[in-house]
């Protein structure tokens, strides 16, 4: 059973962190299921936003926080990937150009997974779907006044099949989306363990970012990359040994000693991560769709048959 710790804090705990020079992070504790971070960059003539939130209420709070900093119009919204915690609130930024990788648009239009059947009930609100309508295949450069902001697709399935980063080289600030979790368990069910290792090692680490805004958890420095990589290698090693022993991903998760990773929130994600690692050991292409209802069902079973904890 999952014993993953949670710090049950309300929406009022969300805070703006000033990263300097018009760059901000919007951090939502405790960073667990559907409680993500966003960001925004303020120029003389407008605001560029990085991601929305999982619910209408949380996105309204994010929007109000932006307006507490600036009265400039919100011109651009970048989605780092398609998961609902980063895209459900898109509709509250109708005045902005919603920008993302073309596969992010496809996934947003495909619709939500069975959210309420797996997690504790929470109110997502009644917002209509607002998919990105300005898309790219490799990347696009955004300018905030004279500040260059590089929006890059990472090139391979990782957290999802459609992850992008927002890199501000002059400030050494990286908005990493869910390629980076800080204090929470990474989740690779809809992406790739091997791909995530590749992206962190070959795309993220070489940037040498001084400040990283993770998709979940506190703003951090470059040391987080090594921490996440260690966990991903742990998942691969666990999957290899368990598969050789003939264990299912669920049984492997039940027998796994998470060690220090048990201190991270949402430890039940080990089940989904092992399902993904097993698929890669079977030689399936990175990012091959899994049987999502089965994987999520196994996670609920691992959690003692109870819906997964969610404070969104």
């Amino acid at each position: 059973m999952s014993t993953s710790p949670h710090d049950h804090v309300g929406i009022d705990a969300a805070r703006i962190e000033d990263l300097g020079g018009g760059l901000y992070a919007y951090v939502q504790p405790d960073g667990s299921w559907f409680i993500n971070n966003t960001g925004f960059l303020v120029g003389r003539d407008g605001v560029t936003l990085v991601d929305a939130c999982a619910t209408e209420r949380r996105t309204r709070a994010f929007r109000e926080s932006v307006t507490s900093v600036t009265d400039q119009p919100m011109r651009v919204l970048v989605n780092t990937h398609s998961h609902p915690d980063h895209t459900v609130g898109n509709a509250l930024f109708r005045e902005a150009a919603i920008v993302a990788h073309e596969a992010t648009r496809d996934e947003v239009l495909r619709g939500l997974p069975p959210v309420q059947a797996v997690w504790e009930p929470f109110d997502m609100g009644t917002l209509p779907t607002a998919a990105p309508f300005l898309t790219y295949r490799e990347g696009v450069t955004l300018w905030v006044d004279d500040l260059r902001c590089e929006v890059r697709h990472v090139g391979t399935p990782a957290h999802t099949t459609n992850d992008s980063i927002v890199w501000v080289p002059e400030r050494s600030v990286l908005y990493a989306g869910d390629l980076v979790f800080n204090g929470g368990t990474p989740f690779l069910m809809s992406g790739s363990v091997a791909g995530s290792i590749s992206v962190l090692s070959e795309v993220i680490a070489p940037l040498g970012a001084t400040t990283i805004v993770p998709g979940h958890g506190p703003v951090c420095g470059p040391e987080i990359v090594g921490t996440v990589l260690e966990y991903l290698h742990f998942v691969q090693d666990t999957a290899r040994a368990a598969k050789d022993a003939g264990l299912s991903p669920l049984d492997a998760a039940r027998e796994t000693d998470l060690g220090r990773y048990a201190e991270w929130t949402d430890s039940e994600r080990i089940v989904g991560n092992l399902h993904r690692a097993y698929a890669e050991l079977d030689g399936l292409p990175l990012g091959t769709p899994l049987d999502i209802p089965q994987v999520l069902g196994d996670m609920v079973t691992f959690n003692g048959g109870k819906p997964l904890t969610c404070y969104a």
Side-chain angles (χ1 to χ4, degrees):
M1 178 183 295
S2 171
T3 57
S4 178
H6 282 268
D7 178 15
H8 188 181
V9 294
I11 190 171
D12 292 341
R15 64 186 183 274
I16 294 172
E17 291 197 22
D18 188 344
L19 308 179
L23 276 61
Y24 298 87
Y26 182 74
V27 178
Q28 297 194 95
D30 64 349
S32 55
W33 288 114
F34 295 96
I35 304 177
N36 66 306
N37 297 332
T38 63
F40 58 102
L41 303 85
V42 179
R44 290 186 297 270
D45 300 317
V47 179
T48 294
L49 306 139
V50 182
D51 284 324
C53 303
T55 70
E56 181 175 356
R57 184 173 64 105
R58 285 184 174 272
T59 306
R60 289 192 186 280
F62 169 44
R63 184 179 178 108
E64 290 172 4
S65 292
V66 175
T67 61
S68 75
V69 172
T70 178
D71 59 1
Q72 296 292 343
M74 301 179 196
R75 297 192 182 279
V76 178
L77 168 60
V78 179
N79 287 150
T80 59
H81 63 287
S82 57
H83 279 171
D85 50 334
H86 295 256
T87 59
V88 164
N90 281 359
L92 288 179
F93 301 100
R94 285 292 192 179
E95 74 271 43
I98 307 177
V99 181
H101 188 264
E102 57 185 21
T104 301
R105 172 181 168 83
D106 293 342
E107 290 297 322
V108 170
L109 289 173
R110 188 167 285 119
L112 295 173
V115 172
Q116 305 294 7
V118 175
W119 287 271
E120 292 174 344
F122 64 99
D123 182 9
M124 297 190 81
T126 58
L127 295 175
T129 298
F133 56 87
L134 180 59
T135 63
Y136 52 83
R137 294 184 178 180
E138 296 182 358
V140 65
T141 300
L142 291 173
W143 294 91
V144 178
D145 300 335
D146 296 326
L147 186 64
R148 182 184 184 93
C149 306
E150 300 175 5
V151 183
R152 304 181 186 176
H153 178 243
V154 298
T156 189
H159 173 64
T160 68
T161 58
N162 56 90
D163 300 292
S164 294
I165 58 174
V166 181
W167 168 233
V168 188
E170 184 177 325
R171 304 286 170 75
S172 195
V173 171
L174 175 67
Y175 295 89
D178 283 3
L179 295 166
V180 174
F181 285 72
N182 183 15
T185 306
F187 193 41
L188 295 312
M189 180 185 71
S190 56
S192 168
V193 182
S196 292
I197 291 172
S198 175
V199 167
L200 287 168
S201 301
E202 300 172 17
V203 178
I204 302 298
L207 295 176
T210 302
T211 302
I212 296 177
V213 181
H216 299 257
V219 174
C220 49
E223 68 283 348
I224 193 64
V225 176
T227 300
V228 177
L229 280 170
E230 289 173 0
Y231 174 79
L232 298 177
H233 285 296
F234 166 78
V235 170
Q236 285 188 323
D237 292 343
T238 300
R240 191 174 297 109
K243 197 169 190 300
D244 287 347
L247 297 176
S248 69
L250 175 58
D251 288 338
R254 285 168 162 163
E255 295 193 10
T256 296
D257 179 2
L258 291 174
R260 64 191 178 100
Y261 306 122
E263 300 174 359
W264 292 355
T265 56
D266 308 319
S267 58
E268 64 272 10
R269 292 175 182 167
I270 185 63
V271 181
N273 294 340
L274 288 173
H275 270 280
R276 174 56 63 188
Y278 272 44
E280 292 173 2
L281 289 170
D282 286 337
L284 295 178
L286 303 188
T288 296
L290 302 179
D291 184 338
I292 299 302
Q294 177 190 347
V295 176
L296 294 177
D298 280 355
M299 291 170 63
V300 171
T301 300
F302 179 81
N303 198 46
K306 299 180 299 183
L308 307 181
T309 300
C310 181
Y311 299 134

